[in-house]
Amino acid sequence: MPRTAHTRPTGRTRPTRHRRLLAAALTALAATAATLSGSAPAAAADVNVARNAGYESGLSNWTCSAGSGSAVGSPVHSGTGALKASPTPSDNATCSQTVAVKPGSAYRLSAYVQGSYVYLGASGTGTTDVSTWTPSATDWQQLSTTFTTGPTTTSVTVYTHGWYGQPAYYADDFSVLGSAGGGGTDPGPQVPDAPGGLTAGAVTPSSVALSWTPVSGATGYTVYRDGTKYGTVNGTSATVSGLAAATSYRFQVSGTNSAGESARSAPLTATTAPSGSGGTPAVPRHAVTGYWQNFNNGATVQKISDVPAQYDIIAVAFADATTTPGAVTFNLDSAGLGGYTVDQFKADIKAKQAAGKSVILSIGGERGTVSVNDSASAANFATSLYTLMQQYGFDGVDIDLENGLNPTYMSQALRSLSQKSGGHLVLTMAPQTLDMQSTSGGYFQTALNVKDILTVVNMQYYNSGSMLGCDGKVYSQGTVDFLTALACIQLEGGLDPSQVGLGLPASTRGAGSGYVDPSVVNAALDCLAKGTSCGSFKPARTYPGLRGAMTWSTNWDAASGNAWSNAVGPHVHGLP
């Protein structure tokens, strides 16, 4: 968010040729990809007919186009080797192997991949050739599909490839499970190692949020509470609920796959919050976020008490950087705000909270540079913010860093802040459109890393060039399709619908470009939540839990007679 007029650079788009190819490929593969998760597992007697399936012997048995492939020792899904293949503007880095198969037999093809636009497929099956893909995998993700060989087919070519001009992708633990075709087999998966890095995040009187580091070869994780199995999850986080207040519990996690269960992690003891402490502040199921300007740039000058009741989360813009790496402070611009005193400011925050609203402090903006790039700066960030929360009564923090962020250390900082606040934390983010195009981006990674304590991501759908939607097509800002097709990336990329909001300027003066009439915002909300009022893009499913909308700013809204909040606020609160 800017302190003055928005001057953010235009978003980057793909070359026209590659854009057409990508859109065509995604359209052709959409129906195939939709059927993959339900593929039946191979029978117990089936074998893996791929050779050197884990790349432990380099690229033996594999051929990669244009010399694009190499064997690497990191990252690996399991074992000591994996494939790294690097596309170019004219080559998609296809790496293939011809496997011996049995005619008229069913096979299940799978591989673990990392990267953007990674494809897995089989050709020469004698029946229907198949393929599947992922638009983005920041960690190891398993792709899988099935095929049946023709009545005279004795060999099939299986392959992975990336996309033209995209970064390198990785593949490991290739599998073609089915009847032996006489070409030899590779061994099956091994039991994974015990997970590490088990930590506690937000706590309430009845729950503890846990997270841990991923383990190569694990396809799921089992959570234990005081030595008893609590449940299983696919990801690397879980919230254990149904706990007693002010009570210590002992937690462990194990990794699982088809070969069995690992040893349990080192134990972690965490204590729930005292009874009546409430945990994370209650943000409505559908909420409106507004940025309040701690400066005068020509918009209506406001006190916190002037912010309309339609706003559920008020983000105070902005905190200020200090000379200490990672640390921030806050300085109320009393002179610029007509003599607004610190005592009045604090009292107004308390009044808003008494009315059920949350008031948080925003970090960043167009000119706000705060770097959290190591453990020391992460600690400084968390400590300074917690001090400001206690000093002014803020409910949490908004991350609006437009100079980039390190997902490892920003996640560390936010978890530390959550622990300091005892679960009393409203955490929002306001990335630019380019930051949320892929889960490999720093912002998206951070959001997923702290998903268990994250309130909402209000991406800025303005000051942006054309961007890819989740269907692989390119959309221009200022339309219903731009809002819905880009929101779909977040909704299908791992965020819960309750963690996705639509960020738009309150007036034409609030941004350099991208303003849309409030009716367009409401149409996009209806399209995502109810499947109605869509443009040419209509999501494959609805997201009734969608959190809501955000605007820059409450001040620019006031300058336009609160037209934005009067139109969008009731619509958000009326969503299903």
Side-chain angles (χ1 to χ4, degrees):
M1 304 292 174
R3 297 174 188 261
T4 55
H6 288 229
T7 57
R8 191 173 301 118
T10 300
R12 178 175 56 87
T13 58
R14 301 183 187 282
T16 303
R17 170 178 173 268
H18 294 161
R19 183 185 305 157
R20 292 198 303 267
L21 290 171
L22 179 56
L26 296 176
T27 302
L29 292 173
T32 300
T35 67
L36 303 181
S37 60
S39 298
D46 289 346
V47 296
N48 184 5
V49 299
R51 302 305 306 272
N52 190 25
Y55 306 95
E56 310 302 326
S57 300
L59 294 185
S60 175
N61 299 102
W62 294 95
T63 300
C64 295
S65 61
S68 56
S70 63
V72 296
S74 178
V76 298
H77 179 255
S78 67
T80 59
L83 167 70
K84 177 182 179 180
S86 303
T88 68
S90 60
D91 180 74
N92 64 4
T94 298
C95 292
S96 61
Q97 175 180 156
T98 299
V99 298
V101 294
K102 185 176 180 180
S105 300
Y107 290 85
R108 183 175 185 269
L109 170 65
S110 68
Y112 285 87
V113 300
Q114 277 192 47
S116 299
Y117 303 106
V118 188
Y119 295 75
L120 170 72
S123 61
T125 63
T127 55
T128 301
D129 291 347
V130 297
S131 64
T132 182
W133 65 287
T134 176
S136 179
T138 57
D139 202 349
W140 290 108
Q141 175 182 334
Q142 187 180 35
L143 297 179
S144 61
T145 185
T146 59
F147 64 87
T148 301
T149 56
T152 61
T153 301
T154 57
S155 65
V156 169
T157 298
V158 293
Y159 62 86
T160 57
H161 71 72
W163 197 254
Y164 303 95
Q166 292 294 304
Y169 71 88
Y170 299 87
D172 200 1
D173 293 338
F174 213 94
S175 178
V176 188
L177 286 178
S179 301
T185 63
D186 260 12
Q190 304 296 309
V191 174
D193 293 332
L198 180 61
T199 58
V203 296
T204 73
S206 61
S207 67
V208 173
L210 301 173
S211 64
W212 53 91
T213 54
V215 178
S216 294
T219 56
Y221 298 90
T222 300
V223 179
Y224 291 88
R225 184 191 70 193
D226 292 336
T228 301
K229 181 178 178 180
Y230 173 79
T232 58
V233 295
N234 292 326
T236 56
S237 64
T239 297
V240 180
S241 57
L243 307 178
T247 303
S248 295
Y249 292 89
R250 183 173 177 267
F251 300 101
Q252 289 176 286
V253 179
S254 66
T256 60
N257 62 18
S258 59
E261 182 177 359
S262 75
R264 298 179 191 180
S265 67
L268 168 74
T269 298
T271 303
T272 52
S275 179
S277 62
T280 301
V283 173
R285 171 178 169 84
H286 300 298
V288 178
T289 302
Y291 284 81
W292 175 86
Q293 297 179 188
N294 180 38
F295 50 87
N296 182 356
N297 66 345
T300 300
V301 172
Q302 291 182 318
K303 296 178 173 65
I304 292 291
S305 57
D306 297 327
V307 177
Q310 292 293 346
Y311 290 99
D312 304 290
I313 302 174
I314 302 168
V316 173
F318 295 96
D320 297 307
T322 71
T323 56
T324 301
V328 297
T329 189
F330 177 73
N331 299 290
L332 184 70
D333 184 12
S334 297
L337 302 180
Y340 194 19
T341 68
V342 171
D343 287 342
Q344 286 178 301
F345 178 71
K346 291 180 180 179
D348 287 347
I349 289 176
K350 287 183 178 179
K352 283 294 182 182
Q353 291 166 335
K357 312 301 181 181
S358 298
V359 183
I360 62 179
L361 180 60
S362 183
I363 311 298
E366 183 184 38
R367 294 186 293 171
T369 302
V370 178
S371 297
V372 179
N373 294 320
D374 54 30
S375 293
S377 58
N380 294 337
F381 184 87
T383 299
S384 62
L385 268 170
Y386 184 59
T387 299
L388 293 172
M389 289 174 64
Q390 293 179 305
Q391 180 180 354
Y392 291 95
F394 295 124
D395 292 299
V397 62
D398 169 70
I399 306 300
D400 183 20
L401 294 171
E402 300 183 8
N403 58 305
L405 77 173
N406 183 304
T408 299
Y409 295 108
M410 179 54 73
S411 301
Q412 180 178 313
L414 294 174
R415 288 203 174 278
S416 177
L417 179 61
S418 176
Q419 290 172 333
K420 290 176 184 294
S421 61
H424 293 67
L425 185 71
V426 173
L427 171 58
T428 70
M429 296 183 179
Q432 301 171 88
T433 53
L434 189 62
D435 295 323
M436 301 299 284
Q437 281 279 282
S438 167
T439 54
S440 62
Y443 244 109
F444 214 142
Q445 286 185 45
T446 302
L448 295 176
N449 288 349
V450 298
K451 181 178 177 181
D452 56 306
I453 60 173
L454 176 64
T455 306
V456 63
V457 174
N458 293 303
M459 189 174 77
Q460 302 174 43
Y461 292 79
Y462 49 96
N463 291 344
S464 167
S466 299
M467 291 286 163
L468 285 171
C470 67
D471 58 354
K473 296 181 180 178
V474 178
Y475 295 95
S476 300
Q477 69 176 2
T479 64
V480 170
D481 289 334
F482 186 74
L483 305 183
T484 54
L486 269 67
C488 176
I489 296 175
Q490 300 170 59
L491 291 161
E492 294 298 320
L495 293 182
D496 188 84
S498 67
Q499 296 172 320
V500 176
L502 307 181
L504 281 307
S507 72
T508 55
R509 297 180 66 190
S513 63
Y515 170 78
V516 297
D517 189 85
S519 63
V520 177
V521 182
N522 291 342
L525 292 168
D526 286 344
C527 178
L528 293 167
K530 299 185 287 188
T532 62
S533 303
C534 299
S536 61
F537 172 81
K538 184 171 183 179
R541 59 192 178 106
T542 58
Y543 310 93
L546 189 76
R547 180 66 77 176
M550 171 274 280
T551 197
W552 176 268
S553 61
T554 64
N555 306 74
W556 285 117
D557 187 24
S560 299
N562 293 318
W564 192 92
S565 58
N566 286 339
V568 177
H571 199 85
V572 167
H573 298 134
L575 290 173

